[in-house]
Amino acid sequence: MIKACIFDLDGVIVDTARYHFLAWKRLAAELGIPFTEADNERLKGVSRLRSMEILLELGHITMARDEQERLANKKNGWFVEYVERMTPAEIFPGVPALLKDLRQRGQRVGLASSSKNAPRVLALLGLADAFDAMVDGTMIVHTKPDPEIFLLAARKLNVAPHQCVVFEDAEAGVDAALAAGMACVGIGSEEQLHRADLVLPTTGEFDPATLATLDVRQPRPTP
Ligand code: G6P
Ligand code: MG
């Protein structure tokens, strides 16, 4: 039985994935690296520094670690500028109602975002109290597609991994959810996220009545 729903933040709850893209594109332009929305798919769900590495790979550029960190911080400065201007109107349609509905049905509701800005974004959106547990990029060692973030969220929610459904817009996030032994609802394109158990164009379209159909996984053997 599914007992918990774990949500990614950027691109699932709110369109901050767009702001990450715009900030990376601005940095790419400064570095003379061509950078498209298709390239950006590889950056979704992964940590800030891993994203920096991927951007440099795309531009065939090698760079010292401290310089990479400086540029990643610069990108973050722009991202934070965009985010600070955000309002609750930018939450995806139907999401607050869905979170409320899931809780009313007795589901535990968690957030698992690789972003170190997640607490600030939730506060700006007035969603800090919408989740029973929250894991952000400061609490993990390994970035998605490693399952660490979702396993930690399940532990905080006090449920077993196979009792969780993850909502994800990133390929790396879908892979992380499956590696955690969880069911996964992909948010976005079927082509990109076909490994998910179900793919929907938007989060608000999810029908909680279908939760039972996602209960497809077996308990993982205890090591
Ligand atoms: C999320 C986004 C990624 C972003 C990562 C780190 O997973 O999908 O695009 O790079 O968080 O975010 P941060 O705000 O810590 O730079
Ligand atoms: Mg995302």
Side-chain angles (χ1 to χ4, degrees), residues 21 24-25 27-37 39-40 54-55 57-61:
F21 170 64
W24 284 121
K25 192 160 174 60
L27 186 67
E30 279 196 2
L31 294 169
I33 301 172
F35 185 67
T36 64
E37 296 218 27
D39 296 327
N40 185 60
I54 296 170
L55 183 67
E57 274 168 39
L58 288 167
H60 308 285
I61 294 173

Side-chain angles (χ1 to χ4, degrees), residues 7-14 16-17 20 43-46 112-114 144 167-171 173 187:
F7 291 81
D8 172 50
L9 175 63
D10 300 316
V12 169
I13 300 286
V14 64
T16 33
H20 280 295
L43 274 57
K44 285 187 180 173
V46 306
S113 167
S114 308
K144 299 170 189 175
F167 292 76
E168 257 295 347
D169 69 319
E171 267 184 88
I187 305 298

Side-chain angles (χ1 to χ4, degrees), residues 8 38-46 144-146 150 168-179 184 186-187 189-196:
D8 172 50
D39 296 327
N40 185 60
E41 288 302 317
R42 286 183 64 198
L43 274 57
K44 285 187 180 173
V46 306
K144 299 170 189 175
D146 190 283
F150 293 129
E168 257 295 347
D169 69 319
E171 267 184 88
V174 171
D175 290 342
L178 300 186
C184 186
I187 305 298
S189 86
E190 173 71 42
E191 194 191 346
Q192 200 90 43
L193 305 173
H194 58 92
R195 285 189 293 279

Side-chain angles (χ1 to χ4, degrees), residues 3-196:
K3 292 190 175 169
C5 296
I6 301 175
F7 291 81
D8 172 50
L9 175 63
D10 300 316
V12 169
I13 300 286
V14 64
D15 198 11
T16 33
R18 182 88 204 140
Y19 297 138
H20 280 295
F21 170 64
L22 292 175
W24 284 121
K25 192 160 174 60
R26 194 163 158 185
L27 186 67
E30 279 196 2
L31 294 169
I33 301 172
F35 185 67
T36 64
E37 296 218 27
D39 296 327
N40 185 60
E41 288 302 317
R42 286 183 64 198
L43 274 57
K44 285 187 180 173
V46 306
S47 71
R48 195 180 306 166
L49 271 179
R50 180 64 197 128
S51 299
M52 186 69 222
E53 286 171 4
I54 296 170
L55 183 67
L56 293 173
E57 274 168 39
L58 288 167
H60 308 285
I61 294 173
T62 49
M63 189 180 278
R65 197 62 177 172
D66 57 347
E67 182 63 1
Q68 291 187 27
E69 282 171 15
R70 190 185 70 77
L71 292 178
N73 283 339
K74 190 171 176 181
K75 176 265 168 183
N76 189 57
W78 292 326
F79 175 75
V80 169
E81 252 177 50
Y82 303 148
V83 154
E84 291 291 330
R85 283 185 238 135
M86 206 169 53
T87 69
E90 291 177 57
I91 301 172
F92 285 131
V95 168
L98 173 63
L99 299 176
K100 211 169 142 200
D101 185 350
L102 289 169
R103 273 179 151 177
Q104 279 168 356
R105 288 167 186 259
Q107 290 290 313
R108 306 272 286 147
V109 177
L111 186 102
S113 167
S114 308
S115 175
K116 294 179 176 169
N117 294 300
R120 180 69 188 140
V121 171
L122 286 187
L124 281 165
L125 298 176
L127 285 177
D129 296 330
F131 299 93
D132 300 304
M134 202 269 290
V135 182
D136 67 39
T138 66
M139 302 172 188
I140 50 164
V141 178
H142 305 290
T143 193
K144 299 170 189 175
D146 190 283
E148 180 184 2
I149 193 164
F150 293 129
L151 294 174
L152 179 56
R155 209 175 318 135
K156 283 189 160 202
L157 290 166
N158 207 18
V159 293
H162 71 278
Q163 296 170 323
C164 300
V165 177
V166 168
F167 292 76
E168 257 295 347
D169 69 319
E171 267 184 88
V174 171
D175 290 342
L178 300 186
M182 301 178 180
C184 186
V185 177
I187 305 298
S189 86
E190 173 71 42
E191 194 191 346
Q192 200 90 43
L193 305 173
H194 58 92
R195 285 189 293 279

